[in-house]
Amino acid sequence: MKKITDCDQEIEKFLKLYQAQMDTNEENLVRYKRKKNSRSKNAPVIDIELYAFSVWGVNVFDIPGLKDTAVMQLIGELGHDFTEKFETAEKFSSWCNLVPNNKISGGKLLSSRIMKKKNIVGQIFRTAASPMARDKSEMGYYYRRMRAKSGALQANVATAHKIAKIFYTMVKTKHTYDSSKVGLVEKEITEKKIAKLERALARLRNVS
């Protein structure tokens, strides 16, 4: 336990040095509302939320799936100016290896797979996406829709892809997280399903 604590203290030293070079006003940080007992037992005993806000100027903890360990890793892998290296969120996601290599012929999708190349940042996002299978947020609904459509592997990649794009956009624009940007809200999905069933029922009645 002492070794872990010592390691956290060393990490914090570097974070403080990094923080000192940023001109972000930490007083503008609006804390993420954590659920009780939501912190992992292995989470670092460092105020990663504060340091991340200092580095990026926005609270990425609001993004479902991104918590202490993942955010700390992203700080180390990406730094404060990564958005300057990628023109768009899609290019960033592609670099993360989160964009499927689709084979299309005659307008039809023949296959869709992720290139077999390692990317640490992409893996961080994929790990962050995994718990969304049970999450009750819009991101969780999105994950389960993708799983029902294409299977667990594709759902994980698709959700990681969406998290990465949202992450990039938030840091780039300094806008707070907006769950409505994830996709269709559950109410809209339910209404579309009901409308589809009603149309199918109407067709059956016309046939009979």
Side-chain angles (χ1 to χ4, degrees):
M1 186 67 181
K2 185 179 183 303
K3 289 184 178 180
I4 295 175
T5 302
D6 291 343
C7 185
D8 284 347
Q9 290 175 348
E10 287 298 313
I11 291 172
E12 188 163 24
K13 286 181 183 178
F14 286 106
L15 288 172
K16 284 182 177 179
L17 289 172
Y18 208 162
Q19 182 186 39
Q21 299 177 49
M22 302 293 107
D23 58 359
T24 307
N25 185 357
E26 288 84 7
E27 293 180 0
N28 293 330
L29 170 62
V30 178
R31 293 278 182 176
Y32 168 72
K33 294 181 180 178
R34 296 175 182 268
K35 297 178 182 178
K36 290 184 179 180
N37 302 319
S38 63
R39 284 180 64 92
S40 168
K41 292 181 180 179
N42 297 321
V45 288
I46 305 171
D47 192 352
I48 300 298
E49 188 174 7
L50 176 62
Y51 289 119
F53 183 81
S54 299
V55 171
W56 292 315
V58 67
N59 195 351
V60 297
F61 273 70
D62 290 332
I63 305 174
L66 289 190
K67 299 298 178 280
D68 298 83
T69 302
V71 173
M72 184 171 66
Q73 291 173 325
L74 289 172
I75 292 174
E77 292 294 332
L78 296 172
H80 71 284
D81 59 350
F82 74 95
T83 57
E84 297 176 10
K85 302 172 185 177
F86 305 96
E87 294 179 2
T88 65
E90 196 62 36
K91 288 186 177 181
F92 172 66
S93 299
S94 179
W95 174 78
C96 291
N97 194 30
L98 295 174
V99 178
N101 180 28
N102 296 333
K103 290 186 178 180
I104 301 174
S105 178
K108 292 184 178 181
L109 180 64
L110 300 180
S111 66
S112 179
R113 62 184 180 85
I114 295 295
M115 296 289 287
K116 290 184 177 180
K117 62 179 181 179
K118 292 183 178 180
N119 183 287
I120 295 174
V121 175
Q123 190 56 49
I124 293 170
F125 285 123
R126 290 184 65 170
T127 300
S130 295
M132 294 301 102
R134 301 174 299 277
D135 196 82
K136 294 182 180 180
S137 68
E138 290 301 325
M139 194 72 75
Y141 293 134
Y142 175 81
Y143 182 104
R144 290 186 288 277
R145 290 197 298 273
M146 294 298 102
R147 184 176 60 187
K149 180 180 178 182
S150 306
L153 178 60
Q154 290 298 329
N156 178 266
V157 174
T159 305
H161 181 200
K162 187 168 287 291
I163 291 174
K165 288 177 67 176
I166 291 173
F167 172 78
Y168 172 95
T169 302
M170 283 179 61
V171 175
K172 182 79 172 180
T173 64
K174 301 297 184 286
H175 287 167
T176 57
Y177 175 71
D178 183 355
S179 62
S180 68
K181 302 297 183 183
V182 174
L184 293 172
V185 297
E186 193 64 14
K187 182 180 178 182
E188 292 178 35
I189 294 169
T190 302
E191 290 174 350
K192 283 178 178 266
K193 286 181 178 178
I194 292 173
K196 185 176 180 179
L197 289 171
E198 288 177 343
R199 289 195 297 271
L201 183 60
R203 287 195 295 269
L204 288 172
R205 285 173 177 170
N206 290 334
V207 171
S208 59

